[in-house]
Amino acid sequence: PLTVIAGFVETMQDLDLDARQRARYLGLMAEQARNMQRLVADLLTLSSLESEHSPGGDERFAVLPLLVQASADARALSGGRHAVEVDPGAAATVDGNRDEIASVLSNLLSNAVRYTPEGGRISLSWRVEPSGIGVFAIADTGIGIAAEHLPRLTERFYRVDRSRSRATGGTGLGLAIVKHVLLRHQAELGIVSEPGRGSVFSVRLPARRVRAAPLGDGPPAEDATTSTSSHSGTGS
């Protein structure tokens, strides 16, 4: 981003531009400045996560409000271009850092939105397995990922398709952040994907962090009902 900004600054210094050209160049510079801000923010987050081995601010929080918040953010990012669905599963609470788990869901849903063509479907679900393990799953009908890339997806700045990544505005650090948050929570990330058939990212929290009893301060039941499915006009 800084290279692009510097290039436009030099252009504006050296050339006599009309108002339309200046507005266009300033708009592109502003876009790259925002990209740089996101990159710095992600680097600071990753640095903070790497400097601490256990999550700070552990609390017990209800899963349902987290699902509602994450799905609302995904719909806002999609702008109506995708069908976004939620399956809240069984009511439960989790012991951990709520903000960090929220960042995991945000990063995974953001990727799903960016790599799913318009009219596709994205789903967020929660379930508690018989063993007590809690699982968040984000599934999409996007472009998918070839098997040889899967082991390296959580590396810093690793790109499956560099040109597409630049076009979608990612920093290349989202999945690295996800990996470190899950390590701090003794959790695991599972990835199943196939080119052209979409992807499923699963966050598996250890049973000792999951409790079946819900907190009493969650949203009313009707909120959960109305938030479980939202379709755009182009969704299937």
Side-chain angles (χ1 to χ4, degrees):
L2 288 179
T3 301
V4 175
I5 292 172
F8 281 125
V9 169
E10 292 175 3
T11 298
M12 296 181 73
Q13 288 174 331
D14 296 339
L15 299 179
D16 184 15
L17 305 174
D18 60 32
R20 181 185 59 81
Q21 290 173 317
R22 283 198 303 272
R24 177 173 177 270
Y25 290 161
L26 287 170
L28 293 169
M29 291 166 66
E31 179 184 349
Q32 293 301 320
R34 288 190 292 270
N35 289 343
M36 194 69 206
Q37 287 176 321
R38 287 194 291 268
L39 180 58
V40 170
D42 280 355
L43 283 169
L44 290 173
T45 297
L46 194 54
S47 176
S48 175
L49 290 170
E50 289 177 335
S51 67
E52 302 175 16
H53 297 294
S54 59
D58 264 16
E59 59 180 321
R60 190 198 304 181
F61 60 88
V63 170
L64 179 57
L66 183 62
L67 294 173
V68 171
Q69 173 191 331
S71 61
D73 291 345
R75 291 187 184 102
L77 182 61
S78 168
R81 295 179 294 113
H82 309 89
V84 180
E85 300 177 340
V86 182
D87 178 2
T93 61
V94 167
D95 292 326
N97 186 303
R98 188 186 189 279
D99 289 341
E100 291 185 3
I101 297 299
S103 77
V104 166
L105 299 184
S106 175
N107 276 299
L108 294 177
L109 285 165
S110 176
N111 282 346
V113 170
R114 288 204 302 268
Y115 294 106
T116 298
E118 183 172 349
R121 186 183 302 275
I122 297 166
S123 66
L124 169 63
S125 64
W126 163 260
R127 70 179 186 274
V128 179
E129 297 182 344
S131 63
I133 290 174
V135 182
F136 292 103
I138 292 87
D140 63 61
T141 58
I143 61 175
I145 307 163
E148 63 266 24
H149 295 293
L150 298 182
R152 301 189 61 188
L153 286 181
T154 57
E155 294 179 11
R156 289 187 181 198
F157 301 114
Y158 184 77
R159 305 285 199 179
V160 173
D161 183 337
R162 291 185 180 276
S163 61
R164 187 177 183 92
S165 295
R166 283 194 296 269
T168 57
T171 65
L173 293 171
L175 290 180
I177 290 172
V178 167
K179 180 183 75 171
H180 283 281
V181 169
L182 297 188
L183 284 173
R184 285 154 56 84
H185 286 78
Q186 303 84 47
E188 298 177 349
L189 177 66
I191 308 172
V192 177
S193 187
E194 184 179 342
R197 299 182 65 87
S199 306
V200 180
F201 287 76
S202 301
V203 173
R204 297 175 61 81
L205 295 168
R208 64 181 177 277
R209 288 188 176 273
V210 180
R211 303 190 186 188
L215 290 176
D217 57 355
E222 59 269 20
D223 287 353
T225 302
T226 57
S227 299
T228 54
S229 179
S230 176
H231 297 271
S232 69
T234 57
S236 57

